[in-house]
Amino acid sequence: MTPLRLYVAGTHSTGKTTLARRIEMELRATGITVARTGGFARRAAELGFPKMTRHTAQSTAWIISATATAILEAELVADVVIVDRTPYDALAYYLAALQHRNERPDLEELSRVTGLAQLITAPAPAVFLATVLDPQLPLAVRPGKDPDWTDTAFRQGVDEQLHRRLNAHTVPHLQVPADGHAAAVEAAVETITAAWTARSAA
């Protein structure tokens, strides 16, 4: 059977990884084999690609391509693949970085990375969760993070660009507010287990 995909998107420090881990634990408890991908922005930076407010079309394309590779590899061994940061996240960070630098996107480059994001997210995942930034909540300071991590305007710009792109491209998704994580975990686990049970019975 083709593995199911579950995407978790959102700007930094909105609980994406915690959300993904909770869903992973719940699914594993039902006997479903789960793999989780992520960490590609960090790997890109380690390779020398610019990050955060310095993102370029090239760094964005690398992150999207690396995400696609990891998903396909994970699908070889797992029933469900949880994608922690989606291709649309990379696109949102790129657009927010351009906005931060007061630069206009090159339309050809934007078309290329947008098409790449759309290609990788098709067919649609079984569940697509998108966290919603609550600017009133304090941002945890993490030693060793890029200085742009605490740039509240940039962080909010990523959130805005993400939801704008998801809506513009009519990507079915569930918005997850800061106080809605428990409900999102429950909904995601129910949807995935129901879909997997239906496939197994077919």
Side-chain angles (χ1 to χ4, degrees), residues 29-118:
T30 69
I32 294 175
T33 303
V34 184
R36 180 161 49 89
T37 71
F40 302 111
R42 183 179 64 254
R43 294 185 202 175
E46 290 171 351
L47 289 171
F49 287 103
K51 61 186 291 188
M52 302 298 278
T53 62
R54 285 118 32 218
H55 265 305
T56 62
Q58 289 70 32
S59 63
T60 303
W62 187 91
I63 291 170
I64 294 174
S65 299
T67 300
T69 299
I71 291 171
L72 293 172
E73 290 177 355
E75 287 180 337
L76 294 173
V77 297
D79 301 325
V80 175
V81 178
I82 299 176
V83 182
D84 184 353
R85 285 211 172 170
T86 73
Y88 279 100
D89 288 74
L91 185 58
Y93 271 88
Y94 169 51
L95 292 168
L98 291 174
Q99 185 178 41
H100 180 86
R101 301 194 302 260
N102 292 315
E103 296 178 10
R104 291 183 177 275
D106 179 285
L107 295 182
E108 185 175 334
E109 289 184 336
L110 179 58
S111 176
R112 178 168 59 91
V113 293
T114 298
L116 195 57
Q118 290 176 305

Side-chain angles (χ1 to χ4, degrees), residues 8 14-25 36 84 142 181 185:
V8 185
T14 52
K16 292 183 307 301
T17 300
T18 300
L19 193 61
R21 286 173 177 165
R22 288 177 62 187
I23 294 169
E24 180 180 6
M25 290 175 59
R36 180 161 49 89
D84 184 353
R142 299 186 182 180
H181 284 216
V185 170

Side-chain angles (χ1 to χ4, degrees), residues 94-174:
Y94 169 51
L95 292 168
L98 291 174
Q99 185 178 41
H100 180 86
R101 301 194 302 260
N102 292 315
E103 296 178 10
R104 291 183 177 275
D106 179 285
L107 295 182
E108 185 175 334
E109 289 184 336
L110 179 58
S111 176
R112 178 168 59 91
V113 293
T114 298
L116 195 57
Q118 290 176 305
L119 176 65
I120 292 166
T121 52
V127 178
F128 195 128
L129 304 178
T131 60
V132 179
L133 173 65
D134 182 349
Q136 302 303 316
L137 294 178
L139 178 62
V141 177
R142 299 186 182 180
K145 285 290 186 181
D146 189 286
D148 291 336
W149 174 269
T150 55
D151 188 319
T152 55
F154 174 64
R155 182 172 174 240
Q156 187 159 348
V158 174
D159 180 75
E160 292 170 355
Q161 290 289 352
L162 173 65
H163 290 280
R164 188 177 301 155
R165 291 291 152 175
L166 291 177
N167 291 327
H169 297 135
T170 60
V171 177
H173 64 283
L174 174 65

